Amino acid sequence: MTGGSIGARNVWGFGLGTLGRDMLAALVAMYLMFYLTEVVDISASTVVAVTVIMVVMRVFDAVNDPVMGIIVDNTRSRWGKFKPWIAIGALAWAAASILMFADWGLEGTTFLIMFTVVYLLWEIAYTVNDISYYGMLPSLSRDRKQRERIGVVARVCANVGLFSLVVGVLPITKALAEWTGSLQRGWFTLAVILSIVMVAFQAITLVVAKEEVRIEEPATTPLRELFSVIVRNDQLLWVTFAMMTFMTGYLVTTSLGIYYFRYVYGDEDMYSIFAAVLGITQIAGLAIFPLVARFLTRRQIHLVATALCVFGFGLFFFADSSMLLIGVAGVLLFSGQAFIQLLMLLYIADCAEYGEWKLGRRNESITVSLQPFIYKGSNALASGIVGLTLLASGIASLSSDSDASAIGDGVVLVVKIAMMVVPMVLATLSWLILRMKYRIDEPTYARIVSDLKEREA
């Protein structure tokens, strides 16, 4: 098989696998709290307990990501080190997701115990799949342009899946509620459907994608060296810190979006229309990334993307009830976020070569495990901010049939500061960190790959 055909297989085989993954991940990451507060209608005290549980579990699971990375890196099988864990994780993740939205019929302490167990199972299964899936990316190609193509298709497919859910979650769950007889069963049915879709698209990756870069390590990496592998890769640490800062703000904005349109804007149905516009914007931004990369370096792209996000947050804050201004703000914000989202994936993938060059050991899965660590760590921080915002604004105490008339100007200001001002500051800080500390630019990466090829020869 020619290198070109393998390249095409990897671009689409790997990329299509993200479609169902991001749908299912977003269902929990973005809408679990909404499901609990607006569908299950848990009490304010239970919201506090659930927020604490989610933050603790996500931090715990994020810390475990590198441990899963070392397990994957040390795996030796006829199918490689990634695919067995991708399959195991996908099946377990689907089962845990279905259980997450089942009707337990519990309240109080028993509900919280059940929630903790199921949420922990969901996080572990997601980790197994996520670490092995994205850990495979650096092994698909060492060519930077080819890696960009794989990354672009993967992120486009992921965002098609993500925004399909964001646009459809409210109308679909309402339609399923009419069919099944209750809103809770509507959400459960959606979880079942998305779990099946996720497994189906993961099967495409398992069958089609093929590793091009296989470096046989002289020995497995001992667990005691895990911390050393990460800490000595200084570029990986700076990328992790910077991207966690950015993603925390981004996830606060997306998580509060549905509350914003219900309680601040005053029309919940506009959320789906707004999400559709933003989804198209973000996918278009990802699609034009290769064209932009022909004229700008990654560092320049990052500056432009950060500026778009900052202007978008600022315009969003002052948009008030103007849907036109809200739409323009969203286009600026999410087009910039699309570039940064892809840059994060590429920065981390390049750190695999940097780590191999500096430490003499490749460790793709340990390196790429920092991406889900970023996502989960920032998700934990964002969940804490969202939970505090709902409590401070009083939204957590409102009944499930409340609307914008139930809140005052003070509540609106609290939501807008958390949703727009805090993320604006975090996006700026993230850019400053990478501008000062990240050194793997295009010429540096070329020298690293050249040195590695000489060593292999």
Side-chain angles (χ1 to χ4, degrees):
M1 180 175 294
T2 66
S5 59
I6 293 177
R9 282 182 56 165
N10 287 340
V11 167
W12 294 104
F14 184 83
L16 288 172
T18 64
L19 265 170
R21 290 188 81 261
D22 279 55
M23 283 183 181
L24 193 58
L27 185 67
V28 173
M30 295 178 63
Y31 299 110
L32 179 59
M33 184 65 80
F34 180 83
Y35 167 76
L36 294 173
T37 58
E38 307 298 316
V39 179
V40 181
D41 202 13
I42 60 177
S43 65
S45 60
T46 306
V47 170
V48 175
V50 165
T51 299
V52 172
I53 291 169
M54 290 173 68
V55 171
V56 171
M57 287 296 176
R58 284 173 179 170
V59 171
F60 170 77
D61 192 43
V63 172
N64 284 335
D65 284 342
V67 177
M68 187 63 214
I70 205 169
I71 292 172
V72 175
D73 274 338
N74 289 340
T75 298
R76 306 289 185 267
S77 80
R78 58 180 292 191
W79 301 283
K81 59 185 178 181
F82 306 107
K83 290 186 177 182
W85 293 109
I86 291 174
I88 293 170
L91 294 173
W93 183 19
S97 298
I98 293 171
L99 187 58
M100 179 76 75
F101 290 89
D103 184 4
W104 305 335
L106 303 174
E107 295 181 357
T109 303
T110 53
F111 171 84
L112 292 175
I113 293 173
M114 184 66 174
F115 177 81
T116 301
V117 172
V118 173
Y119 194 80
L120 178 60
L121 291 174
W122 189 94
E123 289 280 7
I124 292 173
Y126 175 79
T127 294
V128 172
N129 179 267
D130 204 43
I131 298 300
S132 51
Y133 184 82
Y134 280 104
M136 187 166 63
L137 175 59
S139 72
L140 299 178
S141 178
R142 189 175 267 168
D143 179 82
R144 224 180 193 209
K145 291 300 180 183
Q146 178 71 0
R147 189 175 286 178
E148 283 183 3
R149 285 192 289 271
I150 296 172
V152 166
V153 172
R155 292 319 309 166
V156 167
C157 290
N159 281 280
V160 168
L162 169 64
F163 282 100
S164 295
L165 176 69
V166 172
V167 171
V169 64
L170 292 179
I172 290 174
T173 50
K174 289 177 181 178
L176 290 173
E178 294 182 4
W179 180 55
T180 60
S182 78
L183 192 55
Q184 188 281 324
R185 284 195 289 270
W187 280 80
F188 173 76
T189 304
L190 178 61
V192 173
I193 294 171
L194 295 184
S195 297
I196 294 172
V197 171
M198 183 272 291
V199 171
F201 279 102
Q202 285 284 280
I204 294 175
T205 298
L206 293 173
V207 173
V208 177
K210 182 178 178 63
E211 295 174 52
E212 278 193 307
V213 182
R214 283 204 179 191
I215 306 297
E216 293 298 330
E217 302 286 358
T220 58
T221 303
L223 183 60
R224 65 179 180 273
E225 294 183 13
L226 172 61
F227 184 74
S228 174
V229 168
I230 295 174
V231 170
R232 291 165 64 194
N233 193 327
D234 56 296
Q235 296 299 284
L236 180 61
L237 289 180
W238 286 119
V239 170
T240 300
F241 183 38
M243 290 306 177
M244 185 178 292
T245 302
F246 175 82
M247 288 300 295
T248 298
Y250 169 71
L251 290 171
V252 168
T253 300
T254 55
S255 298
L256 287 174
I258 197 166
Y259 294 98
Y260 177 88
F261 278 93
R262 181 169 187 172
Y263 294 109
V264 178
Y265 184 78
D267 187 353
E268 184 181 66
D269 292 335
M270 289 301 295
Y271 175 76
S272 296
I273 298 173
F274 178 73
V277 173
L278 300 190
I280 294 171
T281 299
Q282 194 170 58
I283 292 168
L286 291 168
I288 67 171
F289 183 92
L291 177 62
V292 175
R294 293 181 184 178
F295 303 99
L296 300 177
T297 65
R298 288 185 183 176
R299 178 168 289 182
Q300 291 168 334
I301 294 173
H302 193 191
L303 173 60
V304 171
T306 302
L308 289 173
C309 289
V310 169
F311 284 126
F313 282 125
L315 184 59
F316 206 163
F317 185 87
F318 293 105
D320 294 326
S321 59
S322 172
M323 192 61 198
L324 176 61
L325 291 180
I326 292 175
V328 173
V331 169
L332 292 173
L333 168 61
F334 281 84
S335 57
Q337 188 275 335
F339 283 173
I340 295 176
Q341 183 185 60
L342 181 55
L343 286 171
M344 176 177 73
L345 180 63
L346 298 175
Y347 285 156
I348 293 176
D350 288 352
C351 287
E353 273 73 33
Y354 177 80
E356 182 185 359
W357 174 76
K358 182 178 180 180
L359 307 177
R361 192 189 296 271
R362 188 164 174 83
N363 291 127
E364 298 112 324
S365 294
I366 295 176
T367 301
V368 180
S369 72
L370 272 294
Q371 174 174 293
F373 174 87
I374 291 168
Y375 184 79
K376 293 172 187 175
S378 57
N379 213 317
L381 295 172
S383 295
I385 295 173
V386 170
L388 288 173
T389 302
L390 296 179
L391 292 169
S393 64
I395 291 177
S397 302
L398 298 177
S399 62
S400 58
D401 59 350
S402 300
D403 54 24
S405 63
I407 67 172
D409 292 339
V411 173
V412 170
L413 183 61
V414 170
V415 173
K416 291 174 72 173
I417 288 174
M419 186 177 173
M420 301 150 200
V421 177
V422 172
M424 181 195 300
V425 173
L426 293 176
T428 304
L429 178 60
S430 174
W431 176 81
L432 287 172
I433 293 169
L434 284 179
R435 178 65 182 85
M436 293 186 294
K437 296 296 184 179
Y438 189 70
R439 302 191 308 271
I440 310 177
D441 56 12
E442 285 77 357
T444 302
Y445 182 80
R447 289 196 300 270
I448 289 173
V449 171
S450 178
D451 285 350
L452 291 175
K453 289 181 178 179
E454 289 181 7
R455 294 180 192 177
E456 293 169 10

